């Protein structure tokens, strides 16, 4: 239902930080549950974090304590603050929005963490 565009990816050394953004266009952003997924080369896409429309958040064990998802409904944007990055965090990160069973995906943004 909404169009999503991710940004903020790049190359960073292990231990560094990046902040990903996902800008949404369309109506009723505040009613959408927002999620971040990632997919590394040769691996399946995996869940990273979710921000439900209520504001409650949840994280995959692999990123818990290091990543923070947040949203600014006034700006129609969801963020993923990524701290203490590890090489295993290297992947394409995708933004996902769901409203009443209807989902939308962004194009993805590359995150590369060097040793």
């Amino acid at each position: 239902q909404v169009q999503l565009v991710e940004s903020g990816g790049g190359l960073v050394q292990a231990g560094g930080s990046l902040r990903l953004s996902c800008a949404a266009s369309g109506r009723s952003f505040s009613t959408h549950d927002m999620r971040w997924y990632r997919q590394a080369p040769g691996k399946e896409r995996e869940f990273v974090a979710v921000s439900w429309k209520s504001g409650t958040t949840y994280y995959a064990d692999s990123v818990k304590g290091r990543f923070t998802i947040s949203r600014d409904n006034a700006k129609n944007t969801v963020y993923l603050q990524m701290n203490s990055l590890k090489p295993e965090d290297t992947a394409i990160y995708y933004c996902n929005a769901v409203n009443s069973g209807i989902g939308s995906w962004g194009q993805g943004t590359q995150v590369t963490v060097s040793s």
Side-chain angles (χ1 to χ4, degrees):
Q1 190 69 29
V2 299
Q3 184 173 343
L4 307 173
V5 179
E6 299 98 334
S7 63
L11 175 64
V12 64
Q13 293 183 350
S17 298
L18 286 173
R19 190 192 193 198
L20 307 184
S21 298
C22 175
S25 62
R27 299 179 179 180
S28 302
F29 174 80
S30 63
T31 70
H32 286 69
D33 296 326
M34 303 298 299
R35 292 175 172 85
W36 287 96
Y37 290 79
R38 67 186 182 186
Q39 187 167 22
K43 300 184 67 176
E44 296 183 353
R45 187 172 299 186
E46 66 174 346
F47 165 80
V48 175
V50 58
S51 173
W52 286 289
K53 60 185 179 183
S54 66
T56 304
T57 60
Y58 179 78
Y59 301 89
D61 288 341
S62 59
V63 307
K64 193 172 299 182
R66 299 186 298 120
F67 291 10
T68 302
I69 188 172
S70 61
R71 65 194 297 161
D72 188 336
N73 289 336
K75 296 181 179 179
N76 282 10
T77 302
V78 63
Y79 306 95
L80 185 67
Q81 179 66 47
M82 310 164 67
N83 299 326
S84 301
L85 283 163
K86 305 174 181 179
E88 50 263 43
D89 295 320
T90 296
I92 301 175
Y93 284 72
Y94 297 92
C95 182
N96 166 256
V98 177
N99 183 24
S100 299
I102 301 175
S104 300
W105 292 89
Q107 82 291 339
T109 184
Q110 176 71 50
V111 172
T112 303
V113 184
S114 62
S115 301

